[in-house]
Amino acid sequence: MSASTSPPKSHLSRSLGLWAIVGLGLGYMTPMTVFDTFGIVSGETDGVVPLAYLVALVAMVFTAISYGRMTRVYPSAGSAYTYASETIHPNFGFVVGWSSLLDYLLLPMVNAVIARIYFESFFPSAPAWIFVVAYVAGITALNYLSMKGTSRVNGILVVFQVVLIGAFLVLASVALSKGVGHGTIFTLDPLVHEGVQMQAVIAGATVVCFSFIGFDAITMYAEEAKSPDVVPRAIVLALLIGGAIFFAAAWFSQSVFPTLDGFEITDDTLPEMALKVGGMLFKVFFVSAALAAVVASSLASHASVARMIYVMGRNGKGRFGRFLSYIHPSFLTPTHAVLIVGVVSLLAVKFTLEFASSMINFGALIAFTVVNLTIIVFFAFRLKRRHTPKEIFTNIVLPAIGMVLTGALWVNLHFDALLYGGIWLGIGIIVLVYLTKGFREQLTMRIEEETLAEEGTPVTHIKHGRE
């Protein structure tokens, strides 16, 4: 090597195929959640849990289309942060990224809290910090060493969940055939019956939209997909597959349990639902699948937020930016970012599930709304594709519907979510003022193109923002 030749820069490894990314999305979405939150949502909606999932799914479909289109324009990790920075302004993108960082960063910690609760139920006399440290260390190590290995473990855990959910549907069918609940799945009562109010359904949809957070996180793997075209397809597939699982599970559950009569605990109905339809042995397997779901979600959420921190660091300045954007030369993972997420997850020793989960939807719904906005800004105004009826429909009407639907969910968030989310947003604006020295300096936005070029993928279509 000559003196003038610099060593090649390490970058993320393009090792993930379509189904690996879909699996990561499903792992993040945690299909078993439908049973954990069934009691809460059933009480909120007066017994129409499937309708709440359907409303949330419709809202998410419009947003998923927008995510798929933007990831084709900017095949970079960073998700809403990247799209807002490139299409509108890097400062605005930072605020969006900071807001969505709240839910991305807290979800691994929420999973660690849930795991801690599971372990404490088995070993109540042991110190809680031991479980948290051991669990977080294992999740962090897998993400540190290999993205491909993380994907494989996640895939096994997702399959285990889906198999047990399928077993629940079979047992629920048997119970219905014996006259339990509605006595049949062929009834519209899980969707509509006397006393149901749309405002309550929307409030329930706001709760269950937490379950759909994950399809958007797929965009974080844009620089690790074997081909950039894989990501848009994976987004739609993960959302539709996850939505179908949620809806089917909610439909059978609501048919078997039209009311919450007979439940001792309604905040987490999963164990009792399993016991009632399948007995003690099935309950053991079903709770095991729930734990597997937590581990899968931990792996996927940890990986995605580490990549967001990596991208925000890559576009930063100085030593701190270089530290956050470090890629391990052998493992090809953002190891410093992975370790930071692990450290934050250790807060699960003290944090309660209610406090952490109340803040998660705030940033996610802001990101969903902004991604729809970037479609309008980029296609309708920057590219001026707004003249034909088709262009108006695809570039203005569809994303506008997505904005309205996600906005409706956002305004129905619980007060705690709005309060703590607003505080977090305020801190982000203060950080932005500091980074830009009172807005006198501009943040930079840089998309890594070398990995695309190495694969022979044309990158000339990528339009950069302000450099």
Side-chain angles (χ1 to χ4, degrees):
M1 180 182 293
S2 64
S4 61
T5 303
S6 59
K9 182 181 176 182
S10 297
H11 54 75
L12 299 173
S13 173
R14 288 197 170 275
S15 60
L16 301 179
L18 173 64
W19 291 107
I21 297 178
V22 170
L24 286 165
L26 290 174
Y28 202 131
M29 291 166 74
T30 321
M32 296 292 292
T33 303
V34 63
F35 304 103
D36 287 306
T37 60
F38 176 80
I40 297 171
V41 181
S42 185
E44 186 90 41
T45 62
D46 193 27
V48 286
V49 176
L51 182 59
Y53 274 101
L54 193 59
V55 170
L57 177 60
V58 170
M60 296 300 103
V61 163
F62 287 95
T63 300
I65 293 171
S66 294
Y67 268 101
R69 295 184 69 188
M70 290 311 296
T71 196
R72 281 192 169 95
V73 177
Y74 301 109
S76 167
S79 193
Y81 161 70
T82 295
Y83 312 148
S85 296
E86 287 286 341
T87 60
I88 300 174
H89 195 282
N91 290 352
F92 181 68
F94 177 86
V95 173
V96 173
W98 181 271
S99 299
S100 56
L101 188 62
L102 179 65
D103 63 275
Y104 285 127
L105 195 55
L106 284 181
L107 192 56
M109 187 183 74
V110 166
N111 286 319
V113 171
I114 295 172
R116 185 198 77 201
I117 293 170
Y118 280 130
F119 290 130
E120 284 179 326
S121 67
F122 287 107
F123 309 100
S125 60
W129 68 265
I130 294 178
F131 303 126
V132 173
V133 170
Y135 181 82
V136 171
I139 298 297
T140 303
L142 276 171
N143 274 284
Y144 188 100
L145 296 173
S146 170
M147 187 62 229
K148 197 168 185 178
T150 298
S151 170
R152 285 173 177 167
V153 174
N154 172 83
I156 293 170
L157 296 175
V158 168
V159 170
F160 182 46
Q161 289 179 70
V162 173
V163 169
L164 266 294
I165 290 174
F168 177 90
L169 300 187
V170 171
L171 291 171
S173 298
V174 173
L176 288 169
S177 69
K178 295 179 179 178
V180 176
H182 287 309
T184 177
I185 62 170
F186 301 107
T187 172
L188 291 179
D189 281 352
L191 282 182
V192 59
H193 56 253
E194 186 178 354
V196 174
Q197 298 180 350
M198 199 60 202
Q199 181 66 28
V201 173
I202 293 175
T206 303
V207 176
V208 303
C209 79
F210 169 80
S211 303
F212 288 97
I213 296 175
F215 79 86
D216 60 309
I218 285 175
T219 60
M220 297 294 181
Y221 309 118
E223 293 178 27
E224 291 164 283
K226 291 181 179 178
S227 167
D229 291 336
V230 164
V231 177
R233 286 186 289 151
I235 290 172
V236 176
L237 279 172
L239 180 62
L240 294 180
I241 293 172
I245 293 172
F246 288 137
F247 184 78
W251 187 280
F252 277 83
S253 298
Q254 196 73 82
S255 298
V256 175
F257 306 108
T259 70
L260 296 177
D261 296 341
F263 281 92
E264 295 182 9
I265 300 174
T266 57
D267 286 346
D268 187 350
T269 46
L270 183 146
E272 285 188 73
M273 291 173 72
L275 180 65
K276 290 177 185 294
V277 301
M280 182 57 70
L281 181 60
F282 180 69
K283 176 185 173 181
V284 171
F285 279 105
F286 211 57
V287 172
S288 299
L291 181 58
V294 172
V295 175
S297 184
S298 292
L299 288 170
S301 59
H302 195 124
S304 63
V305 70
R307 276 133 190 88
M308 186 165 191
I309 293 172
Y310 156 72
V311 172
M312 294 184 77
R314 189 172 67 189
N315 294 315
K317 298 177 181 178
R319 292 183 179 178
F320 194 57
R322 289 193 296 272
F323 177 82
L324 294 178
S325 61
Y326 174 77
I327 296 291
H328 195 283
S330 300
F331 304 141
L332 300 181
T333 56
T335 46
H336 289 172
V338 167
L339 291 174
I340 289 172
V341 179
V343 170
V344 173
S345 298
L346 290 175
L347 294 174
V349 172
K350 293 294 183 183
F351 274 55
T352 64
L353 186 60
E354 292 78 11
F355 178 80
S357 60
S358 68
M359 295 188 288
I360 288 177
N361 283 350
F362 179 88
L365 291 176
I366 286 181
F368 292 172
T369 304
V370 169
V371 169
N372 283 300
L373 176 62
T374 61
I375 290 289
I376 298 173
V377 172
F378 183 80
F379 288 98
F381 291 95
R382 183 179 292 188
L383 299 185
K384 295 181 171 57
R385 296 179 183 173
R386 57 178 188 270
H387 302 296
T388 68
K390 180 181 178 181
E391 289 178 341
I392 292 173
F393 181 73
T394 57
N395 299 329
I396 298 178
V397 175
L398 284 181
I401 292 174
M403 289 179 66
V404 170
L405 292 175
T406 53
L409 296 177
W410 192 86
V411 298
N412 279 280
L413 286 173
H414 289 160
F415 176 75
D416 284 350
L418 293 173
L419 174 63
Y420 296 127
I423 293 172
W424 176 261
L425 181 60
I427 295 172
I429 293 173
I430 293 171
V431 172
L432 175 63
V433 171
Y434 172 78
L435 292 175
T436 59
K437 297 182 179 178
F439 300 110
R440 291 191 299 271
E441 293 184 2
Q442 290 214 112
L443 294 177
T444 59
M445 187 65 204
R446 181 167 61 93
I447 291 181
E448 293 289 287
E449 295 180 350
E450 62 269 8
T451 57
L452 296 174
E454 288 173 1
E455 309 258 340
T457 305
V459 295
T460 54
H461 70 288
I462 299 176
K463 300 182 181 297
H464 288 270
R466 299 152 181 82
E467 291 288 340

